[in-house]
Amino acid sequence: IAGITQAPTSQILAAGRRMTLRCTQDMRHNAMYWYRQDLGLGLRLIHYSNTAGTTGKGEVPDGYSVSRANTDDFPLTLASAVPSQTSVYFCASSDSRDRPRFFGPGTRLTVL
Amino acid sequence: DAKTTQPTSMDCAEGRAANLPCNHSTISGNEYVYWYRQIHSQGPQYIIHGLKNNETNEMASLIITEDRKSSTLILPHATLRDTAVYYCIVRVAEGAQKLVFGQGTRLTINP
């Protein structure tokens, strides 16, 4: 693989279910990010990680959790999905803390 | 973070230079100007960034006015594949975790 991969590509989920969105990068970037994109609201940062073992909250962290056990993977978990979490989710990575450099293809999540 | 203002939409003919303006009149001395774009149904793509000097890379040029209150992203020879939403963002260098994407400019390249 080259760059960032996300899985699944899309998912329909019942409210209340637990869901983990996967993100993997092979560029050995230290910084990784999760954004959600909703019509009319642009991209909003959910969580970020500046390096393996550390994470931080972004603009809209409620209802989401992340972990960064290693450099390559940065999964995003919805513990109990709600319809307002219906969105397109983008993972990003960077070799610099000043900007997300590469974005994944996105995961389209629908919570019913 | 300083607020940015961009036109909602623009059109440009294929092969011509596309000039995308961005106003950031409240920018402070340590804030950078970043540009990203997002092609339909794809993830965003970093284009370029700068502080006060003009910058150029393989994708585009960034012209920042001397007072830094506005900037212009230039795509020198626009192609149909440059049709996308372009985001101008102003932020201090440290703290990309708070990079805020607004509504951007929808650029349409016409054949």
Side-chain angles (χ1 to χ4, degrees):
Chain A
I1 56 174
I4 298 179
T5 58
Q6 292 185 235
T9 301
S10 65
Q11 181 76 44
I12 298 174
L13 188 67
R17 299 295 297 269
R18 180 185 179 89
M19 175 75 189
T20 296
L21 308 185
R22 299 184 298 279
C23 174
T24 300
Q25 52 105 358
D26 65 354
M27 297 171 283
R28 308 300 294 173
H29 285 168
N30 282 324
M32 295 188 75
Y33 313 84
W34 273 106
Y35 290 87
R36 60 177 288 175
Q37 186 171 33
D38 305 287
L39 193 64
L41 295 175
L43 283 127
R44 293 181 292 170
L45 182 68
I46 305 171
H47 284 286
Y48 66 93
S49 169
N50 286 330
T51 189
T54 68
T55 62
K57 294 181 179 180
E59 182 184 0
V60 288
D62 294 343
Y64 305 94
S65 63
V66 292
S67 61
R68 188 86 185 278
N70 58 63
T71 296
D72 298 345
D73 301 298
F74 190 42
L76 176 74
T77 297
L78 289 67
S80 179
V82 295
S84 62
Q85 292 177 311
T86 293
S87 187
V88 180
Y89 291 85
F90 290 102
C91 177
S93 75
S94 180
D95 53 358
S96 169
R97 291 189 182 189
D98 75 319
R99 66 190 184 279
R101 182 72 173 86
F102 296 98
F103 283 78
T107 293
R108 183 174 297 275
L109 181 67
T110 302
V111 182
L112 302 176
Chain B
D1 299 334
K3 179 181 171 58
T4 62
T5 303
Q6 298 177 253
T8 302
S9 63
M10 293 181 62
D11 286 85
C12 180
E14 187 178 19
R16 304 295 294 271
N19 298 287
L20 292 91
C22 180
N23 287 320
H24 32 79
S25 59
T26 61
I27 192 170
S28 60
N30 62 344
E31 289 183 313
Y32 285 70
V33 180
Y34 299 86
W35 282 85
Y36 288 78
R37 73 180 183 183
Q38 187 171 21
I39 296 169
H40 182 62
S41 298
Q42 296 183 21
Q45 179 183 25
Y46 164 81
I47 301 173
I48 199 168
H49 76 287
L51 182 62
K52 54 184 176 181
N53 297 320
N54 297 338
E55 302 287 343
T56 296
N57 63 20
E58 67 279 3
M59 289 183 67
S61 294
L62 174 61
I63 308 299
I64 302 174
T65 57
E66 192 169 343
D67 63 7
R68 301 208 324 121
K69 293 184 177 182
S70 65
S71 60
T72 301
L73 179 75
I74 301 173
L75 308 177
H77 304 287
T79 71
L80 298 179
R81 290 176 296 179
D82 292 321
T83 292
V85 177
Y86 287 77
Y87 298 98
C88 170
I89 303 162
V90 171
R91 188 69 179 91
V92 295
E94 287 296 320
Q97 54 269 28
K98 294 182 181 178
L99 208 60
V100 177
F101 289 75
Q103 299 308 304
T105 295
R106 183 172 298 279
L107 176 67
T108 301
I109 306 300
N110 300 307

